[in-house]
Amino acid sequence: MKGILLAGGTGTRLYPLTLATSKQLLPIYDKPMVYYPLSTLMLAGIRDIMIISTPQDLPQFQRLLGDGGQFGLRIEYRVQAAPNGIPQAFLIAEDWLAGSPCALALGDNLIFADRLSTMLQQAATQDQGATVFAYQVRDPERYGVVTFDANGKATEIIEKPASPTSSWAVVGLYFYDSRVLDFVRTLRPSARGELEITDLNRAYLEDGSLRVQQLCRGCAWLDAGMPSSLLEASQFVHTIQTRQGMLVGSPSEIAFRMGYITARQLEEHALRMGKTELGHILLSLARQQEL
């Protein structure tokens, strides 16, 4: 399976922070925002990743992440010239996908959960259909909302409903089989002139091949697209890392734990971080393994 990380858009809800840089390069505590969805794809076992962003922002991602070799990944880049909707990413990456199943992660989403890697790898190894994740929120009218029947089966998905019948929002992480481009080509732009990810998910739902995994107690999903949610995400990561001593959203750590890089390579990463908290944690992990 391949992975697409969509890091486009204008970030207008974060003005003036995003007047000079991409939203997905803003910090969430001690790491750039893009590290968190990148880590999510890595936890799913995905190593071939395409980052799609705007013409002006793409060079910044290339400077930050390079070809992905530092994390044991293979990263490529494409431009989304205009924000014409999330499903457009599949059309942009069509030749690169070459009929492969694909996961798509939004660049401003952070997901934290116990045994998250197991959950993601199960979704990545499904041969047929699509898998999306749902999370209970207080303001479902801001999201694509999924409704379930009494047996927990998804029955309806609606984009930003004025009167939501459910509090379950679809999070910004989607797994699709090799038919995804066939479904994307059937989509038509919405009233706002964009291809909608909710319409793609609904196509799989109507096909009878959509699985919706509920993220329940013990899970956290943060959409860092506004100043308040950006602060909330930073506070969350700070709390986990300082109280529990574990890293959140560190590609270097994940690459090491999944066997993509060696302890020596991890130590090199840590030393490049200098006298930062992140550097200290990575260095401690690397040297423990060298003993």
Side-chain angles (χ1 to χ4, degrees):
M1 173 169 278
K2 295 183 176 181
I4 295 174
L5 201 166
L6 186 57
T10 56
T12 54
R13 292 184 300 170
L14 283 163
Y15 277 4
L17 296 174
T18 50
L19 287 173
T21 190
S22 166
K23 168 177 65 175
Q24 291 85 4
L25 292 171
L26 295 176
I28 292 182
Y29 184 46
D30 59 350
K31 293 175 286 296
M33 188 187 298
V34 70
Y35 270 25
Y36 297 88
L38 179 63
S39 296
T40 300
L41 292 176
M42 293 175 68
L43 287 171
I46 297 171
R47 301 180 70 175
D48 289 294
I49 295 172
M50 174 170 286
I51 294 178
I52 297 177
S53 188
T54 64
Q56 62 270 25
D57 292 328
L58 200 63
Q60 299 179 67
F61 290 101
Q62 290 173 311
R63 285 195 294 273
L64 176 67
L65 301 170
D67 64 2
Q70 60 179 315
F71 304 128
L73 307 176
R74 294 171 290 274
I75 297 180
E76 297 192 29
Y77 300 87
R78 292 281 172 87
V79 165
Q80 185 182 38
N84 292 321
I86 296 171
Q88 187 190 32
F90 297 105
L91 299 173
I92 293 171
E94 180 175 3
D95 62 324
W96 176 76
L97 287 172
S100 170
C102 182
L104 187 148
L106 300 187
D108 60 357
N109 276 223
L110 184 159
I111 301 173
F112 180 84
D114 184 36
R115 298 182 180 178
L116 178 61
S117 181
T118 299
M119 193 185 311
L120 297 176
Q121 289 177 33
Q122 288 175 346
T125 55
Q126 294 287 340
D127 293 330
Q128 294 291 324
T131 300
V132 300
F133 298 86
Y135 187 82
Q136 279 190 298
V137 296
R138 290 187 301 175
D139 50 354
E141 66 278 358
R142 291 181 51 215
Y143 306 99
V145 173
V146 58
T147 302
F148 299 93
D149 64 18
N151 298 315
K153 182 179 179 181
T155 59
E156 185 179 48
I157 298 181
I158 301 176
E159 178 67 16
K160 297 179 181 177
S163 301
T165 57
S166 165
S167 61
W168 288 94
V170 177
V171 310
L173 177 66
Y174 321 91
F175 291 80
Y176 300 108
D177 63 15
S178 59
R179 300 176 296 160
V180 62
L181 277 159
D182 295 331
F183 283 109
V184 169
R185 291 191 186 95
T186 69
L187 303 181
R188 297 292 178 267
S190 65
R192 60 178 184 167
E194 297 183 11
L195 300 178
E196 302 289 352
I197 194 68
T198 295
D199 290 339
L200 177 58
N201 293 331
R202 187 183 299 112
Y204 273 95
L205 178 65
E206 294 172 353
D207 180 67
S209 58
L210 178 72
R211 289 173 293 276
V212 182
Q213 174 74 53
Q214 293 178 333
L215 298 174
C216 301
R217 289 178 180 267
C219 300
W221 169 55
L222 298 165
D223 171 5
M226 296 190 298
S228 58
S229 55
L230 184 64
L231 175 61
E232 181 183 4
S234 292
Q235 291 172 329
F236 176 83
V237 173
H238 172 263
T239 299
I240 295 294
Q241 292 191 176
T242 56
R243 295 288 181 89
Q244 299 186 10
M246 64 172 65
L247 289 173
V248 181
S250 170
S252 299
E253 181 208 17
I254 294 168
F256 172 69
R257 294 193 184 279
M258 298 192 74
Y260 300 165
I261 62 173
T262 66
R264 179 60 59 85
Q265 289 173 305
L266 180 63
E267 183 175 355
E268 292 172 356
H269 288 198
L271 293 173
R272 284 198 294 271
M273 295 299 102
K275 297 180 180 180
T276 63
E277 175 190 274
L278 177 60
H280 286 307
I281 296 174
L282 291 175
L283 189 60
S284 175
L285 176 61
R287 290 182 172 171
Q288 286 174 10
Q289 299 302 313
E290 290 175 345
L291 296 177

